[in-house]
Amino acid sequence: MLRMSTLLLRTLRDDPADAEVASHRLLVRAGYVRRIAAGIYSWLPLGYITLRNIERIIREEMDNAGFQEVHFPALLPREPYEQTNRWNEYGADLFRLQDRKGNDYLLGPTHEEMFTLMVKGEYSSYKDLPLSIYQIQTKFRDETRPRSGIIRGREFVMKDSYSFDLDDEGLATSYEKHRNAYVSTFDRLGMKYNIVSAVSGAMGGSRSEEFLAPCPTGEDTYVLCEKCGYAANVEAMVTKVEVTVDAAPPAMEVFDSPNTPTIDSLVDLLNATFGPGHTGGHTLKNVLCVADGKTISVLVPGDREVDLKRLQANLPGVQELRLFEDADFAKHPGLVKGYIGPQDAPKFGITVYADPRVAVGTHWITGANEKDKHVRFVTHGRDFTVEKFVEVAEVRAGDLCPDCQSPVIIDRAIEIGHIFQLGRKYAEALDLTVLDKDGKSRVVTMGSYGIGVSRAVAAIAEQTYDEFGLNWPREVAPADIHIVATGKDDEPFNVAEKYAADMEAAGLRVMLDDRRDASPGVKFKDAELIGIPFIMVVGKGLADGKIEFRTRRTGEKVELPLDSALQTIITEITQS
RNA sequence: CGGGGCGUAGCGUAGUGGCUAGCGCGCCUGCUUUGGGAGCAGGAGACCGGGAGUUCGAAUCUCCCCGCCCCGACCA
């Protein structure tokens, strides 16, 4: 039983000055966490109980699915991360340190290497597969900018699992099992979430999905079709193209366009020269980029921006991507800034990619590759061709759902889980092989699955808090019921003690506010702030043989007679 | 890493060259109070982020450093 009289807890009346988002503010005010350094937090008893509740639920669901729990060190030697090249690849986000002999170590940001090596060390036969193992571990990432309290810390608790299979079908099955386990986990955590397709890009086109908890303070942006349920990461959104194509557009026609280096100025000129009705959508924007040192051009309708993240995600294999800069124009005198057009790309030796909206047969108004000149009726397939279509234009609310053609909305969310088919990257790098039926050595294929455990505390807080404070789903809450005793006599306290003991005997987790010196107002405020889902008040109602029972989420209050209250409450709570 | 803001007691804050650094919450003691963050009285608690400088005198001005928050880039 938790007793307010002795709990290590001091609630704060004022919001802490350094907390902006609701979960951070309330978790600090309600005495769940305290900040130690940027992105590094201590958990006080209430917070730690909550965190462990979430861990417990995750564990139960993982175990249910037949996955086995293991535990790796957080402090790891350099060597395995050298073999996969992540000692270098991970860059500055990796916390590195040395022991007294000067050997390099790191604080694990994620544990692919260790999982892979563990399996390699124990198993060598296809008969041992499939295997899924997981751990709940503190992870470290030296984020350039930790933010939003415990949503994005530098030290955080994560559940990570890995599956090991002989072939793709096995991997697909393991992936599906994890997906199902995640669904039941997040359902039990009482969270609202969407499962969205993510880009698997660099990993080789295999499947990847994110579990996103919608909430305005989230840092992920995703696309959602409210009609059919299609959900996708912005990077993974597929463009639905609806174009009508003129059978035979007129031949290309160059026209003078002095001082019109931007789309806006071009539209003004078009309306003045060729009559009203022209929009940015009639023009073709040529955005030059440097991809791994090579100049490329990407084409989007003039009323769209290029989304570099989408471009990069959809150009597999490209490591470094940036926009053309003045220095690059200086090196390519043929490319006139503000007057670029795709029709001369072969001459310039530039690879051209296009947004699907720039479909074959469409014609555009674009730069003439000559200062102060534009050209119209530039037709895809006749006057220029592209290397390939790539998802590159920014996604907007109102764009059409690729599945059902309804307008989509754009929403923000916190990423609470990510599952993806890793493939053989780590198994190859670390030489994890097993012998198959024919005695042949086969590289194992892996899946990788994560849940942000400490982040889930914040995400649940974000999704459930109200004007009075935190407001936990029952399984997550530090207790099932918060019993408040008020009054100056012993009686209400004795009665409250008795109820608390009886409820505990019935299997409920009880928080008892047995403080004799706190006023009723303080106790009520604290109970609401702490956010335990049910509150019982033993006080002035005793005179009429009644206690009060409140539901935190709805604010509903009922008076219950002393003799039947216990059973009523137990039933109410266990059925909630 | 770029831009912006902030650093005064456990928390929230006032104080822009001048006396012993002020207030609220919280904490301690006593009395009163007990259904919505109680009242009165008394008290403890601050090398004003650190260092250097200017000055008769610095929380206050200057320089450097450190830390923290927000936006962006980055990350997932």
Side-chain angles (χ1 to χ4, degrees):
Chain A
M1 188 189 306
L2 297 168
R3 288 176 180 276
M4 288 289 276
S5 61
T6 52
L7 234 204
L8 173 51
L9 170 71
R10 196 106 297 160
T11 57
L12 304 177
R13 195 180 297 215
D14 300 308
D15 283 336
D18 62 359
E20 195 84 5
V21 301
S23 59
H24 188 198
R25 244 176 42 227
L26 292 170
L27 288 168
V28 171
R29 270 192 63 203
Y32 281 63
V33 300
R34 292 288 181 256
R35 194 185 65 78
I36 297 303
I40 302 177
Y41 290 82
S42 297
W43 298 83
L44 279 74
L46 284 184
Y48 197 48
I49 292 168
T50 307
L51 180 70
R52 275 169 26 224
N53 285 342
I54 293 174
E55 287 184 5
R56 194 197 69 244
I57 291 168
I58 293 172
R59 235 179 222 116
E60 287 172 8
E61 295 302 324
M62 294 298 115
D63 293 345
N64 256 340
F67 311 152
Q68 301 175 56
E69 183 168 11
V70 297
H71 199 72
F72 293 101
L75 177 63
L76 297 165
R78 168 177 177 162
E79 216 275 328
Y81 287 76
E82 192 74 70
Q83 283 186 52
T84 54
N85 197 33
R86 289 167 98 198
W87 178 261
N88 298 318
E89 258 177 24
Y90 228 96
D93 279 5
L94 194 61
F95 271 108
R96 298 157 206 264
L97 64 166
Q98 294 189 332
D99 68 6
R100 62 172 74 204
K101 293 184 236 167
N103 295 318
D104 288 319
Y105 285 79
L106 62 108
L107 296 174
T110 170
H111 283 75
E112 280 84 354
E113 285 80 357
M114 306 319 295
F115 276 94
T116 309
L117 289 170
M118 178 179 274
V119 175
K120 177 181 154 104
E122 310 301 322
Y123 278 0
S124 48
S125 160
Y126 77 96
K127 293 181 194 165
D128 297 319
L129 304 181
L131 171 72
S132 285
I133 48 182
Y134 75 96
Q135 71 166 339
I136 293 177
Q137 173 63 283
T138 303
K139 309 276 186 174
F140 300 86
R141 289 182 198 168
D142 193 0
E143 298 274 352
T144 37
R145 183 151 97 83
R147 67 183 91 171
S148 307
I150 55 176
I151 293 176
R152 185 177 207 78
R154 292 191 293 170
E155 173 179 323
F156 55 96
V157 179
M158 186 172 164
K159 188 286 305 179
D160 53 334
S161 323
Y162 294 88
S163 64
F164 300 86
D165 283 279
L166 192 63
D167 51 33
D168 292 352
E169 299 81 68
L171 172 56
T173 306
S174 295
Y175 181 89
E176 208 54 43
K177 281 174 76 176
H178 270 90
R179 194 177 193 276
N180 293 337
Y182 274 37
V183 166
S184 33
T185 302
F186 291 122
D187 284 348
R188 268 183 77 186
L189 290 175
M191 307 188 77
K192 293 193 290 274
Y193 61 92
N194 287 303
I195 304 176
V196 317
S197 333
V199 174
S200 39
M203 290 299 181
S206 47
R207 201 163 168 207
S208 170
E209 288 166 298
E210 290 173 0
F211 287 72
L212 299 184
C215 111
T217 48
E219 32 183 336
D220 276 43
T221 306
Y222 72 108
V223 177
L224 178 67
C225 173
E226 291 175 302
K227 188 158 174 210
C228 77
Y230 171 85
N233 201 305
V234 165
E235 283 87 339
M237 167 76 170
V238 178
T239 301
K240 174 72 192 167
V241 190
E242 285 190 333
V243 282
T244 44
V245 173
D246 289 353
M252 284 198 289
E253 176 188 316
V254 175
F255 58 94
D256 289 330
S257 58
N259 301 318
T260 52
T262 64
I263 298 292
D264 283 348
S265 55
L266 178 60
V267 170
D268 288 345
L269 178 123
L270 292 172
N271 284 326
T273 312
F274 300 108
H278 290 89
T279 67
H282 295 108
T283 70
L284 186 64
K285 189 183 285 189
N286 296 253
V287 178
L288 296 173
C289 295
V290 180
D292 290 340
K294 276 177 53 189
T295 300
I296 63 168
S297 171
V298 293
L299 307 180
V300 293
D303 59 347
R304 294 263 169 179
E305 297 298 325
V306 165
D307 183 333
L308 278 182
K309 287 175 100 167
R310 293 195 80 207
L311 176 58
Q312 177 140 30
N314 292 295
L315 280 182
V318 172
Q319 295 295 316
E320 203 196 330
L321 183 70
R322 62 174 175 81
L323 286 173
F324 232 51
E325 292 164 5
D326 286 343
D328 299 305
F329 279 106
K331 278 187 244 162
H332 298 272
L335 299 171
V336 187
K337 194 176 176 182
Y339 297 90
I340 315 277
Q343 60 281 8
D344 299 316
K347 203 168 76 193
F348 296 129
I350 296 173
T351 309
V352 181
Y353 297 95
D355 181 79
R357 275 167 273 247
V358 187
V360 173
T362 54
H363 65 86
W364 303 85
I365 299 158
T366 191
N369 296 310
E370 196 177 332
K371 185 143 177 60
D372 296 337
K373 291 204 191 299
H374 276 80
V375 55
R376 54 181 189 153
F377 305 120
V378 179
T379 305
H380 188 171
R382 183 188 73 185
D383 304 320
F384 69 94
T385 56
V386 304
E387 176 77 13
K388 69 177 205 176
F389 290 104
V390 173
E391 293 293 345
V392 57
E394 47 153 348
V395 174
R396 290 187 199 150
D399 285 351
L400 298 186
C401 169
D403 286 355
C404 77
Q405 276 79 265
S406 305
V408 298
I409 61 165
I410 290 187
D411 199 9
R412 295 184 74 82
I414 300 172
E415 180 186 346
I416 46 171
H418 193 172
I419 54 178
F420 69 103
Q421 301 187 359
L422 244 190
R424 298 189 164 80
K425 173 175 172 173
Y426 291 93
E428 260 159 22
L430 297 166
D431 193 29
L432 169 61
T433 59
V434 293
L435 293 179
D436 68 10
K437 270 194 189 106
D438 307 320
K440 273 175 40 193
S441 183
R442 302 258 304 257
V443 177
V444 166
T445 185
M446 296 166 58
S448 160
Y449 318 88
I451 295 179
V453 181
S454 45
R455 176 179 279 186
V457 176
I460 295 168
E462 289 287 343
Q463 287 193 337
T464 55
Y465 81 94
D466 64 16
E467 58 182 311
F468 304 110
L470 297 166
N471 195 346
W472 301 108
R474 185 163 80 91
E475 273 210 90
V476 173
D480 295 310
I481 183 161
H482 188 133
I483 303 179
V484 174
T486 66
K488 58 179 168 181
D489 302 324
D490 289 342
E491 201 203 352
F493 290 88
N494 293 337
V495 172
E497 287 281 353
K498 178 76 169 74
Y499 276 113
D502 290 346
M503 287 180 190
E504 234 174 25
L508 296 186
R509 300 167 301 137
V510 179
M511 163 93 113
L512 175 61
D513 195 343
D514 55 349
R515 292 175 295 177
R516 299 297 292 250
D517 52 355
S519 70
V522 169
K523 294 181 179 181
F524 296 148
K525 291 287 187 201
D526 277 348
E528 284 149 2
L529 179 61
I530 289 166
I532 290 168
F534 297 97
I535 299 168
M536 174 181 181
V537 184
V538 184
K540 71 174 188 193
L542 279 184
D544 309 321
K546 301 216 164 124
I547 57 92
E548 187 179 302
F549 182 62
R550 306 179 177 178
T551 304
R552 173 70 181 82
R553 187 171 296 279
T554 59
E556 183 193 357
K557 304 178 184 181
V558 292
E559 300 241 285
L560 298 173
L562 280 174
D563 50 1
S564 63
L566 181 68
Q567 201 46 57
T568 309
I569 290 173
I570 290 171
T571 307
E572 179 78 23
I573 293 180
T574 49
Q575 289 178 356
S576 69

